[in-house]
Amino acid sequence: MRKIILNLAISLDGFIEGSDGEFDWCFSDQDYSDGQLDQFDAVFMGRKSYELMINLNEMPIKNMKNYIFSDSLDSVKYGSLIRSSNMIDEVNKIKEDPGNDIWFFGGADLLTSFLEEGLIDELQLAVHPILLGKGKNLFQGKLNERIQCTFISAKSYDTGLVMLRYKVKSN
């Protein structure tokens, strides 16, 4: 069965974007970015992430099947639209399909729902050596209960970036 893996950049103080929604603080080591997404052939994202990627002219995400989760969009130009009313069934069907792992791209609210439903299998956090002070927190204090994780690995880079990997324990 395919795994759903959160893979994203985060600041030392736990933010995924700055106070104005900026992510200019993110950088990518050559080693960190090369081949990092090769393990995925599908991507999950919420409406806000989808709209951001469209504004950046980054949609569809190349070489991946794009799935957009939204209850407010009537349709999507790129990818398949999934509603929250049948989210769990749809996600489990996609996980059963043949293919590589699935990249959970964002956003934070959708991540909370996925974690609480036990749908995220692994966390891959690219911790950047910067303190933003304020911005959007990865988990936004919205998890209803603790979720245990098991350490898989850590890799550091010359720039100070550290890639942390954790397996999310099943409920």
Side-chain angles (χ1 to χ4, degrees):
M1 182 184 300
R2 301 161 79 185
K3 294 188 294 185
I4 300 174
I5 300 173
L6 170 70
N7 177 297
L8 57 66
I10 187 167
S11 68
L12 279 173
D13 49 354
F15 296 107
I16 57 173
E17 61 185 49
S19 58
D20 293 322
E22 76 277 6
F23 49 91
D24 58 341
W25 52 272
C26 294
F27 58 87
S28 56
D29 286 56
Q30 192 65 30
D31 294 334
Y32 158 67
S33 59
D34 281 353
Q36 186 67 24
L37 300 179
D38 291 349
Q39 66 184 318
F40 306 116
D41 64 2
V43 59
F44 287 170
M45 69 182 75
R47 177 191 56 82
K48 292 176 191 172
S49 297
Y50 173 72
E51 289 172 346
L52 168 72
M53 295 301 283
I54 285 183
N55 289 336
L56 295 173
N57 292 316
E58 296 288 335
M59 283 301 293
I61 295 178
K62 293 176 179 58
N63 302 319
M64 293 191 201
K65 173 107 171 135
N66 292 247
Y67 295 93
I68 300 20
F69 293 78
S70 175
D71 287 327
S72 59
L73 294 174
D74 292 326
S75 64
V76 293
K77 185 174 180 180
Y78 306 104
S80 300
L81 182 62
I82 297 175
R83 304 281 183 205
S84 63
S85 59
N86 61 349
M87 177 181 82
I88 297 170
D89 291 338
E90 288 294 320
V91 168
N92 284 324
K93 284 179 195 171
I94 295 166
K95 285 180 79 167
E96 296 283 334
D97 288 343
N100 295 343
D101 290 333
I102 302 161
W103 177 24
F104 187 96
F105 178 73
D109 291 335
L110 184 62
L111 174 61
T112 299
S113 298
F114 268 61
L115 282 167
E116 289 180 341
E117 294 295 339
L119 297 172
I120 298 289
D121 298 291
E122 185 177 321
L123 306 175
Q124 295 179 357
L125 305 174
V127 182
H128 286 64
I130 187 169
L131 299 170
L132 296 178
K134 55 185 174 180
K136 186 176 209 173
N137 187 279
L138 177 57
F139 300 109
Q140 301 181 12
K142 293 183 180 180
L143 289 174
N144 290 322
E145 57 188 58
R146 294 177 181 175
I147 297 173
Q148 297 294 319
C149 299
T150 304
F151 177 75
I152 298 173
S153 67
K155 183 174 181 181
S156 61
Y157 297 89
D158 291 340
T159 57
L161 184 140
V162 178
M163 175 59 82
L164 299 173
R165 292 182 57 217
Y166 290 92
K167 180 184 184 311
V168 178
K169 290 188 178 178
S170 303
N171 299 352

